[in-house]
Amino acid sequence: TLPHSVDVCTRAVLLCVVFFFNDTATTEIYTLSLHDALPICVLQQIGKPREVYDHPANLFVAGFMGSPSMNFINGQVENGRFESDGVSLPLMNGATAGSVVMGFRPEDASVVDPGGGQFDAKVFTAELTGDVTLVTIVIGEKSLAVKMPKEYEVDFDSPVAVSLPLQKAFLFDANTGDRLPTQFAVPSAQ
């Protein structure tokens, strides 16, 4: 049979094969008969790599793409602002109150002097990785990663701030995980 032939061939060359069929019955039969392990997943987003990376559809995609992955800060939308422990950022008009998650990529932020960014934090580690220094900062109980130039040096437990171009930050619905259309209010200097 075809399933047996395909199974023998893929095992002989240690090949991982993904099949797509246009009807449910064929998919179910071949899926159950051809695999040692069966992944079940839901398609999260389709797009060009840069589009998916720069504009993730939801928390799963945002956290899956990138190394280190996107930083997430749980919070609330209250009175037109994103509010979390030590973070208060203005939002554009139309922000609906509720539980949200703010996200930003480590390479989009910078570590700056205390009071010089959108929020203050403390340094937990600074690790030279070759081409960059990966700085782990802490706000409350939350750890965040920021990529800095390889020459950057900072001491453990130093007070710092995080500067972030707000047009590169996202809000996600905390319940569904979907990216929200709400944007941060960007000061004219950014």
Side-chain angles (χ1 to χ4, degrees):
T1 65
L2 177 62
H4 176 73
S5 299
V6 171
D7 189 42
V8 168
C9 289
T10 57
R11 286 176 190 272
V13 294
L14 300 174
L15 184 66
C16 176
V17 178
V18 177
F19 292 96
F20 292 94
F21 298 98
N22 62 357
D23 70 283
T24 307
T26 303
T27 301
E28 289 174 0
I29 291 168
Y30 286 150
T31 299
L32 292 174
S33 63
L34 287 175
H35 296 88
D36 293 322
L38 182 61
I40 302 295
C41 56
V42 175
L43 182 62
Q44 300 287 320
Q45 183 175 358
I46 295 177
K48 293 184 177 186
R50 172 79 56 211
E51 175 188 337
V52 172
Y53 186 79
D54 288 343
H55 303 285
N58 56 41
L59 283 168
F60 175 81
V61 174
F64 184 76
M65 300 294 293
S67 179
S69 63
M70 185 177 280
N71 291 301
F72 297 121
I73 302 173
N74 295 324
Q76 296 286 323
V77 171
E78 298 173 358
N79 302 316
R81 297 185 72 81
F82 170 78
E83 302 285 349
S84 185
D85 292 333
V87 181
S88 180
L89 300 170
L91 300 170
M92 301 288 277
N93 293 338
T96 306
S99 296
V100 294
V101 178
M102 174 188 170
F104 65 91
R105 298 250 177 239
E107 64 273 14
D108 291 334
S110 296
V111 176
V112 296
D113 292 334
Q118 279 80 15
F119 53 90
D120 291 332
K122 284 201 173 195
V123 173
F124 182 70
T125 63
E127 175 186 3
L128 176 62
T129 62
D131 60 336
V132 298
T133 296
L134 185 60
V135 182
T136 302
I137 57 167
V138 178
I139 342 176
E141 298 292 318
K142 184 71 180 169
S143 294
L144 306 170
V146 177
K147 287 184 177 179
M148 293 295 289
K150 65 182 177 183
E151 298 81 15
Y152 183 79
E153 293 182 6
V154 66
D155 292 329
F156 169 77
D157 216 26
S158 294
V160 295
V162 174
S163 179
L164 172 68
L166 292 176
Q167 66 270 23
K168 294 198 173 202
F170 300 99
L171 279 183
F172 300 92
D173 183 292
N175 296 315
T176 66
D178 293 336
R179 190 180 79 222
L180 299 172
T182 302
Q183 296 178 342
F184 290 91
V186 179
S188 57
Q190 286 192 2

